[in-house]
Amino acid sequence: MSGNEAIALGAYEAGVKVGAGYPGTPSTEILENLCRYPEVSTEWSVNEKVALEVGIGSALAGGRALITMKHVGLNVAADPLFTASYIGVKGGLVVVTADDPEMHSSQNEQDNRHYARAAKIPMLEPSDSEEARDFTKIAFEISEKYDTPVLLRTTTRISHSMSGLVKGQRVEAKTPEGFIPNQPKYVMIPLNAKKRHPVVERRMFQIAEDAENMEFNFIEGGTGDFGIITSGVSYTYVREAYPDVPVLKLGMVYPLPELMIREFCSKYSTVYVVEELDPFIEDQIKAWGLKVRGKDIFPIIGEYSPELIRCAIGGKSIPENISLSVKLPPRPPSLCPGCPHRIVYSVLSRMKLKVSGDIGCYSLGALPPFTAMHTCIDMGASITVAQGIEMAMGGDCCDTVALLGDSTFAHSGITGLLNAAYNKRHSLIIVLDNGTTAMTGIQPNPLSGETINGHETVALDYAKFGEACGLKTEDIRTVDAYKEEDIEKAISEMTASGRLSLLIVKGLCIILKRRQQAARKERGA
Amino acid sequence: MDKVTNILMVGVGGQGILLSSNILSSAALRDGFDVKKSEIHGMSQRGGSVFSHIRFGSIVYSPVISRRQADIILALEEMEVLRWIDYASEDCKIIFSRERILPAGTTSYPEGVEDEIRRLCPNVYPVCPDELKKKIENVKTLNVALLGILSDFVSISDASWQSAIKEFVPAATLESNLKAFQAGRNIISEK
């Protein structure tokens, strides 16, 4: 079972009532698995902020909620996160952040452990699938015991690695008693928030004190004159590299058990802190005046491995790669053969337009042979960055277009379009509508007319929405993604018009199309 | 601690590596091994170079194989062997399909790939996909036939292989997949 499946299982066994999230590698499969349990009410939310707010509502009504997202998704959800910390919970609230060291499928390599400290929320970090399941259950208990949301952090190698575990039984949590108003606790106007902040500080102090005896923070004895403090997937690398060395394994990376760490450090002449990405644990330990080694020998970038840890501690450099006498061409990912995004990229490339781009499969249009995307920053930024370019250039925008996918448009492109209309901007916005959230493995979204459970639902009407924002009917067009001439004509006319306009390029994702064909064939047979 | 068996599967996104690695790890699990498997989803799956690490033994910690530690590399595409050659141990067995897939934007396949593999590794088992396809009923079972070849090099019972195949392939193709597995297995013994 993968770490993601195990988290879904853990939430199920913990009696979770609500699951919400937005797809993002490596987090997506958590909700895809959770939605299969009929006892759990799940949704793909419009974005991560919405998902977390849904989770807060569920928690306030007394229903346990699991909210899932990738690391950059937590940036979107950071606003509710920081205040959720103040209001606490009634039913447990667990927020999964799936980080991506090495950036296998992400635009940055941020270390979301910092959010735990910044938002004053405890954070657990499992090392394999079994812990992923167990820690999810423990996270709900901690959440309710200490009246706090809990962050559960995975990395790609936890979410997408598989290891064995034995399934348990679902234990139904209490039936939610419903939302009972409690203004001083739930209404965070300054008057109330000022009283809640000290509660939060006391809570974190208490958790730090109790962390000394929490069973998932433990020491494994061993021999040798050095010890290692570690957590998460790094623990497995450490054990592999040094099976007999004393190890302090942290199941909770925030807050830290200070006495336990002090005592461990006092026993060994050298203590190494092994953690991927930032010196999050190391800095806290050093702030207590203890001497440990960490980022002076271990990299701050990318994933670790047993080999890397052995070499760093052994003072050796990592052996060079074998030099090949055959020159291997790189094999970067590319748009699928038959992908509906291909033609629009050929057109944009030929027309030499500058493309303010966005996040999704279609980011691959930035690579050869198209090289037709010139910015890619965060979800929804295509539309708004194009507006900034226009403003800086005194209103001239005819060579820059904004381009994003349907799911991204729903996620945070809609606010950008409204902003453009409200502020009288002029650029062309192109939505590549392939009927799904493709990059993360085909999930429905508010434009595809289907819920997470495959039920039919409303699909946002672009034309009506554009008109509601004040766009003229002739400035909203839809073209077939496979009709090159139509696409070219529409883009040239719409950029020449100098008015804010919306072009929908419609063509079903080729993977989804094949799946639908296969499903039809199966039904037929 | 017993030696952990490290198998690296590599190929090109879309070749079906995840199915193969699922079958292998399930078979090992059924035989009572501790198993870990690690792979990447998302952007890299779109026609890029893909991999799956499978490790099994009495206790397995790391989900990833360290360089120079792979006991077997199974490649569904020829040049991908070289891309991952740093993972090969000294006596690594390299099973690869002579399938050649050009990376996007390139027009010619590099020369001398197989010679280079043989220069670097002594135990090389190339498989001609066309010859193998003649021995199986359904070309879609090719990857399972390759697993049949691999099965000769690992100590996993037949019963576990068969149950694992049954777990992951569509019921309608079970029979042809089991035959393909056997066809793959016979290739090495025939030689």
Side-chain angles (χ1 to χ4, degrees), chain A residues 134-172:
Chain A
D134 295 346
F135 284 18
T136 305
K137 294 166 86 163
I138 293 168
F140 280 109
E141 287 163 21
I142 292 176
S143 174
E144 288 170 7
K145 179 171 178 192
Y146 295 97
D147 193 14
T148 176
V150 175
L151 284 159
L152 182 75
R153 178 197 189 230
T154 71
T155 54
T156 297
R157 296 293 182 179
I158 297 300
S159 280
H160 287 169
S161 290
M162 300 202 181
S163 53
L165 60 82
V166 180
K167 285 187 187 178
Q169 291 290 320
R170 175 172 169 99
V171 177
E172 283 298 338

Side-chain angles (χ1 to χ4, degrees), chain A residues 162 240 319 321 325 331, chain B residues 37 46 55 67 80 116:
Chain A
M162 300 202 181
E240 184 96 15
N321 280 346
S325 58
R331 195 189 290 280
Chain B
K37 167 169 115 96
R46 302 278 178 268
R55 312 190 68 219
R67 295 188 311 164
E80 291 307 308
E116 181 70 354

Side-chain angles (χ1 to χ4, degrees), chain B residues 44-172:
Chain B
S44 31
Q45 280 180 300
R46 302 278 178 268
S49 177
V50 294
F51 60 84
S52 181
H53 296 238
I54 301 105
R55 312 190 68 219
F56 59 91
S58 54
I59 299 176
V60 180
Y61 287 110
S62 165
V64 296
I65 302 168
S66 289
R67 295 188 311 164
R68 320 266 195 275
Q69 299 288 322
D71 301 297
I72 301 174
I73 294 178
L74 174 68
L76 306 184
E77 202 276 349
E78 194 171 315
M79 79 165 100
E80 291 307 308
V81 175
L82 290 182
R83 205 180 302 283
W84 300 94
I85 200 77
D86 285 292
Y87 284 83
S89 64
E90 264 178 27
D91 56 353
C92 180
K93 295 168 182 68
I94 297 191
I95 305 164
F96 72 90
S97 170
R98 287 195 176 117
E99 188 79 45
R100 295 180 158 194
I101 301 174
L102 283 176
T106 61
T107 50
S108 67
Y109 203 85
E111 298 277 330
V113 170
E114 186 166 335
D115 290 345
E116 181 70 354
I117 298 171
R118 289 181 185 280
R119 182 177 76 83
L120 297 166
C121 295
N123 309 311
V124 180
Y125 305 89
V127 180
C128 282
D130 290 335
E131 277 177 36
L132 192 53
K133 277 174 193 167
K134 281 179 207 157
K135 298 183 183 180
I136 57 181
E137 291 173 1
N138 178 348
V139 290
K140 287 188 178 167
T141 63
L142 189 69
N143 289 352
V144 173
L146 290 169
L147 282 179
I149 298 176
L150 180 142
S151 72
D152 270 337
F153 298 102
V154 293
S155 48
I156 294 175
S157 71
D158 267 9
S160 293
W161 276 113
Q162 284 168 14
S163 315
I165 292 168
K166 193 174 175 185
E167 180 183 351
F168 286 103
V169 306

Side-chain angles (χ1 to χ4, degrees), chain A residues 14-280:
Chain A
V16 76
K17 287 275 182 247
V18 169
Y22 183 81
T25 312
S27 73
T28 315
E29 300 84 359
I30 303 171
L31 218 51
E32 287 189 317
N33 281 283
L34 192 62
C35 76
R36 294 184 186 137
Y37 299 107
E39 297 94 329
V40 188
S41 176
T42 52
E43 69 169 42
W44 284 126
S45 304
V46 167
N47 62 38
E48 295 87 352
K49 171 176 138 68
V50 171
L52 180 50
E53 290 156 355
V54 166
I56 292 170
S58 169
L60 293 188
R64 287 186 167 184
L66 183 78
I67 310 304
T68 71
M69 58 199 69
K70 69 181 292 173
H71 61 342
V72 287
L74 196 55
N75 300 336
V76 179
D79 195 355
L81 182 76
F82 280 69
T83 306
S85 173
Y86 277 36
I87 67 170
V89 302
K90 192 186 286 169
L93 176 61
V94 176
V95 182
V96 183
T97 162
D99 292 12
D100 190 18
E102 201 74 35
M103 292 177 277
H104 295 286
S105 202
S106 300
Q107 66 268 41
N108 77 35
E109 203 171 22
Q110 68 185 54
D111 186 335
N112 274 10
R113 293 177 299 171
H114 296 294
Y115 271 115
R117 194 175 187 188
K120 302 174 194 289
I121 290 174
M123 175 181 269
L124 304 181
E125 189 179 30
S127 292
D128 60 19
S129 296
E130 186 161 25
E131 282 194 354
R133 188 267 308 272
D134 295 346
F135 284 18
T136 305
K137 294 166 86 163
I138 293 168
F140 280 109
E141 287 163 21
I142 292 176
S143 174
E144 288 170 7
K145 179 171 178 192
Y146 295 97
D147 193 14
T148 176
V150 175
L151 284 159
L152 182 75
R153 178 197 189 230
T154 71
T155 54
T156 297
R157 296 293 182 179
I158 297 300
S159 280
H160 287 169
S161 290
M162 300 202 181
S163 53
L165 60 82
V166 180
K167 285 187 187 178
Q169 291 290 320
R170 175 172 169 99
V171 177
E172 283 298 338
K174 297 186 298 261
T175 306
E177 57 180 340
F179 176 63
I180 299 165
N182 180 355
Q183 283 193 329
K185 190 161 184 278
Y186 300 156
V187 182
M188 284 305 100
I189 52 175
L191 179 73
N192 292 333
K194 279 179 185 166
K195 290 179 189 143
R196 289 298 301 171
H197 187 184
V199 175
V200 170
E201 297 298 336
R202 281 199 299 274
R203 172 185 81 205
M204 294 314 287
F205 184 80
Q206 187 64 50
I207 298 174
E209 212 172 79
D210 294 354
E212 306 286 351
N213 300 310
M214 289 181 181
E215 58 186 13
F216 45 73
N217 292 328
F218 58 82
I219 293 168
E220 289 178 333
T223 53
D225 58 354
F226 70 88
I228 295 175
I229 299 174
T230 187
S231 74
V233 76
S234 299
Y235 165 76
T236 70
Y237 301 153
V238 163
R239 282 276 72 130
E240 184 96 15
Y242 294 104
D244 303 317
V245 163
V247 168
L248 194 170
K249 181 187 184 299
L250 294 164
M252 185 158 70
V253 292
Y254 191 81
L256 294 176
E258 185 177 343
L259 292 178
M260 188 185 224
I261 290 171
R262 277 186 183 279
E263 200 192 320
F264 186 78
C265 289
S266 71
K267 282 189 190 158
Y268 306 101
S269 59
T270 310
V271 170
Y272 298 97
V273 179
V274 181
E275 52 185 331
E276 289 177 337
L277 302 181
D278 295 344
F280 180 75

Side-chain angles (χ1 to χ4, degrees), chain A residues 169-489:
Chain A
Q169 291 290 320
R170 175 172 169 99
V171 177
E172 283 298 338
K174 297 186 298 261
T175 306
E177 57 180 340
F179 176 63
I180 299 165
N182 180 355
Q183 283 193 329
K185 190 161 184 278
Y186 300 156
V187 182
M188 284 305 100
I189 52 175
L191 179 73
N192 292 333
K194 279 179 185 166
K195 290 179 189 143
R196 289 298 301 171
H197 187 184
V199 175
V200 170
E201 297 298 336
R202 281 199 299 274
R203 172 185 81 205
M204 294 314 287
F205 184 80
Q206 187 64 50
I207 298 174
E209 212 172 79
D210 294 354
E212 306 286 351
N213 300 310
M214 289 181 181
E215 58 186 13
F216 45 73
N217 292 328
F218 58 82
I219 293 168
E220 289 178 333
T223 53
D225 58 354
F226 70 88
I228 295 175
I229 299 174
T230 187
S231 74
V233 76
S234 299
Y235 165 76
T236 70
Y237 301 153
V238 163
R239 282 276 72 130
E240 184 96 15
Y242 294 104
D244 303 317
V245 163
V247 168
L248 194 170
K249 181 187 184 299
L250 294 164
M252 185 158 70
V253 292
Y254 191 81
L256 294 176
E258 185 177 343
L259 292 178
M260 188 185 224
I261 290 171
R262 277 186 183 279
E263 200 192 320
F264 186 78
C265 289
S266 71
K267 282 189 190 158
Y268 306 101
S269 59
T270 310
V271 170
Y272 298 97
V273 179
V274 181
E275 52 185 331
E276 289 177 337
L277 302 181
D278 295 344
F280 180 75
I281 298 169
E282 179 187 346
D283 282 356
Q284 293 179 70
I285 295 175
K286 283 184 170 164
W288 298 329
L290 296 172
K291 228 178 104 189
V292 289
R293 299 198 65 184
K295 294 299 165 186
D296 58 322
I297 56 166
F298 300 110
I300 201 164
I301 295 167
E303 292 184 314
Y304 287 3
S305 67
E307 180 189 31
L308 181 148
I309 293 165
R310 259 195 308 265
C311 289
I313 290 179
K316 288 180 287 207
S317 53
I318 295 175
E320 293 281 315
N321 280 346
I322 295 167
S323 74
L324 298 173
S325 58
V326 173
K327 197 171 173 333
L328 281 190
R331 195 189 290 280
S334 58
L335 292 172
C336 301
C339 172
H341 302 330
R342 284 180 164 262
I343 291 173
V344 65
Y345 276 120
S346 303
V347 172
L348 289 166
S349 177
R350 198 165 57 235
M351 293 177 77
K352 299 198 166 33
L353 286 167
K354 292 172 191 157
V355 176
S356 175
D358 227 303
I359 309 279
C361 278
Y362 52 89
S363 306
L364 294 169
L367 302 175
F370 307 110
T371 324
M373 180 179 289
H374 307 102
T375 64
C376 173
I377 302 155
D378 67 289
M379 296 286 287
S382 54
I383 301 179
T384 34
V385 167
Q387 289 166 41
I389 293 171
E390 178 185 338
M391 288 170 79
M393 300 311 292
D396 179 13
C397 62
C398 60
D399 67 342
T400 306
V401 298
L403 178 142
L404 74 174
D406 48 338
S407 190
T408 313
F409 183 73
H411 179 284
S412 44
I414 282 174
T415 45
L417 172 57
L418 185 58
N419 192 63
Y422 168 56
N423 289 302
K424 300 174 177 297
R425 304 294 165 224
H426 303 92
S427 54
L428 168 62
I429 298 163
I430 303 174
V431 180
L432 304 182
D433 186 336
N434 62 355
T436 189
T437 313
M439 175 96 284
T440 44
I442 315 289
Q443 292 80 30
N445 65 56
L447 290 155
S448 61
E450 197 184 44
T451 69
I452 192 168
N453 301 111
H455 299 138
E456 204 176 308
T457 184
V458 292
L460 181 99
D461 185 325
Y462 291 103
K464 284 187 185 155
F465 180 70
E467 280 170 19
C469 289
L471 271 68
K472 294 198 177 70
T473 315
E474 64 264 33
D475 293 331
I476 306 167
R477 291 196 212 172
T478 301
V479 292
D480 184 327
Y482 294 96
K483 293 198 171 146
E484 188 159 357
E485 280 178 21
D486 294 1
I487 295 172
E488 183 155 2
K489 183 164 176 277

